[in-house]
Amino acid sequence: VILLITGNGKGKTTAALGQGLRVYGGGGRVVCFQFIKSPKWPAGEEKAIEKLGAGFRLIKGGRGFVGIMGDKLPFSVHQKAALETLQKARRAILSGKYNLVILDEVNVALSLKLIKLKNVLALVKKTPPKTDLLLTGRYAPKALFRIADIATEMMERKHPYKKGIQGKRGREY
Amino acid sequence: VILLITGNGKGKTTAALGQGLRVYGGGGRVVCFQFIKSPKWPAGEEKAIEKLGAGFRLIKGGRGFVGIMGDKLPFSVHQKAALETLQKARRAILSGKYNLVILDEVNVALSLKLIKLKNVLALVKKTPPKTDLLLTGRYAPKALFRIADIATEMMERKHPYKKGIQGKRGREY
């Protein structure tokens, strides 16, 4: 089954990791490939997932924000990182070893043209029936909406930045 | 900060537990009170959360579906269970011991009139600043939208039942 979580609301990655928690807790094997977040990203869920052992793997394959928030890396560096993450995800999916594979913020990587839509679509089509694939990130292309079995759009109705409240670590999501 | 996750899309509880995972992983203390789910509910996340230890508690205070899916319990039994769960949640919130308190499906309990909106609003207003409160469930009343700092609506865009695919344990959410 192909799942898609998109929209401009906060919590898409968090929702995906929650789903991972559910599958893991049911005895399944889970791996999450992150296309934007880098190993330097400070995030509580990483520490929590590490406690869960080998049944739930988290691979931070990105190099951080692209072109914003002080990013000075050449575009080609981001592109190479995303391509390598897609290759790793491909091997994980085709191995058939996982009950759930999460491609976190793959939609963002697509919209930034770090990777090609045709390559992602080809991978979705090759996903074994016993493996669920969950794709996240805003700006999901229509082709992914069409191919998804379950699509959820998270809509921001209210956000603290608009009220002048700053996000804080451990809560920001 | 008061967070609200509502809408007709799947994954609201899962998203809330994912947020719990993030806060817990950042060193915070988390407790989730479930207003509909009962201890008999088979769910993978419970087993996963149990592995996390005392920092992340899950209290299944409900008695299951109300008036549907073969429920034969008197309404008063559901009402009593929801009231007790609200009282427990109240103690946890006012204790100031938790960084995140989740009131899972509290909106559903409100729409079924198991508990009173004024009691929930009073509790929201008394939440200490260092405790984040996350309320979930479809049918969120407007008063909760107004009081929330962050509100996310999960919109169902595509669902497998509509395509004739059956949910399976560990994935159904």
Side-chain angles (χ1 to χ4, degrees):
Chain A
V1 162
I2 310 301
L3 306 112
L4 180 66
I5 301 179
T6 190
N8 66 348
K10 298 289 165 187
K12 295 180 288 292
T13 294
T14 308
L17 294 174
Q19 177 65 2
L21 191 69
R22 177 166 286 201
V23 172
Y24 166 83
R29 292 187 66 184
V30 181
V31 61
C32 173
F33 295 93
Q34 299 194 299
F35 281 83
I36 303 294
K37 287 194 180 72
S38 76
K40 291 177 187 173
W41 208 284
E45 67 265 37
E46 190 181 3
K47 288 178 192 167
I49 290 168
E50 277 169 5
K51 293 188 188 181
L52 297 176
F56 195 153
R57 293 174 62 212
L58 181 69
I59 288 125
K60 291 175 177 283
R63 298 295 302 266
F65 286 120
V66 179
I68 54 165
M69 302 289 276
D71 169 46
K72 282 168 189 159
L73 291 175
F75 186 75
S76 60
V77 170
H78 287 292
Q79 223 166 9
K80 187 163 175 280
L83 259 170
E84 283 175 5
T85 304
L86 189 62
Q87 286 306 317
K88 284 182 195 166
R90 187 186 158 84
R91 282 195 292 274
I93 291 165
L94 299 183
S95 76
K97 286 181 188 170
Y98 294 93
N99 300 82
L100 176 67
V101 176
I102 301 168
L103 304 186
D104 186 45
E105 297 192 283
V106 69
N107 296 333
V108 178
L110 283 168
S111 77
L112 291 169
K113 300 196 187 306
L114 296 180
I115 49 175
K116 288 180 183 169
L117 178 59
K118 68 173 184 182
N119 292 339
V120 173
L121 287 174
L123 188 52
V124 170
K125 284 172 189 162
K126 279 185 187 161
T127 301
K130 64 179 174 180
T131 299
D132 291 336
L133 188 62
L134 169 48
L135 304 100
T136 84
R138 55 174 71 192
Y139 316 123
K142 280 184 186 166
L144 283 181
F145 258 103
R146 275 195 293 272
I147 212 168
D149 298 298
I150 309 183
T152 302
E153 191 170 353
M154 295 185 74
M155 308 289 283
E156 178 188 311
R157 299 301 186 197
K158 244 183 171 181
H159 191 261
Y161 299 117
K162 293 183 180 160
K163 292 178 68 179
I165 301 167
Q166 269 218 301
K168 70 175 183 188
R169 187 166 164 186
R171 184 174 69 202
E172 172 52 25
Y173 77 127
Chain B
V1 163
I2 311 301
L3 306 113
L4 180 67
I5 301 179
T6 190
N8 66 349
K10 298 289 168 188
K12 293 180 287 291
T13 295
T14 308
L17 294 174
Q19 179 64 5
L21 189 70
R22 177 166 288 202
V23 172
Y24 165 83
R29 291 187 67 184
V30 182
V31 61
C32 173
F33 295 93
Q34 300 194 300
F35 280 82
I36 303 295
K37 288 195 180 70
S38 77
K40 291 176 185 171
W41 209 283
E45 66 265 36
E46 191 181 4
K47 288 178 193 169
I49 289 169
E50 277 168 5
K51 293 188 188 184
L52 297 177
F56 195 152
R57 293 174 62 212
L58 182 69
I59 288 126
K60 291 173 177 285
R63 299 294 304 263
F65 285 119
V66 179
I68 54 166
M69 303 289 275
D71 169 44
K72 282 168 191 158
L73 291 175
F75 186 75
S76 60
V77 171
H78 287 293
Q79 224 164 8
K80 188 163 174 279
L83 260 170
E84 283 175 6
T85 304
L86 190 62
Q87 286 308 318
K88 283 181 195 166
R90 187 185 158 84
R91 283 195 291 275
I93 290 166
L94 299 183
S95 76
K97 286 182 187 168
Y98 294 94
N99 300 82
L100 177 67
V101 177
I102 301 168
L103 305 186
D104 187 43
E105 297 192 282
V106 70
N107 297 334
V108 177
L110 284 168
S111 76
L112 291 168
K113 301 197 188 302
L114 298 179
I115 48 176
K116 287 180 183 169
L117 180 58
K118 68 173 183 182
N119 293 338
V120 173
L121 286 175
L123 189 51
V124 169
K125 283 171 190 163
K126 280 184 185 159
T127 301
K130 64 180 176 180
T131 300
D132 290 335
L133 187 62
L134 170 47
L135 303 100
T136 83
R138 53 173 72 194
Y139 315 122
K142 279 184 187 167
L144 283 182
F145 258 104
R146 276 195 292 271
I147 211 169
D149 298 298
I150 309 183
T152 302
E153 191 170 353
M154 294 186 73
M155 308 289 284
E156 179 187 310
R157 298 302 186 197
K158 243 181 173 182
H159 191 261
Y161 300 115
K162 293 185 181 158
K163 293 177 69 178
I165 299 167
Q166 270 218 299
K168 69 175 184 189
R169 188 165 163 187
R171 183 173 71 205
E172 173 51 26
Y173 78 125

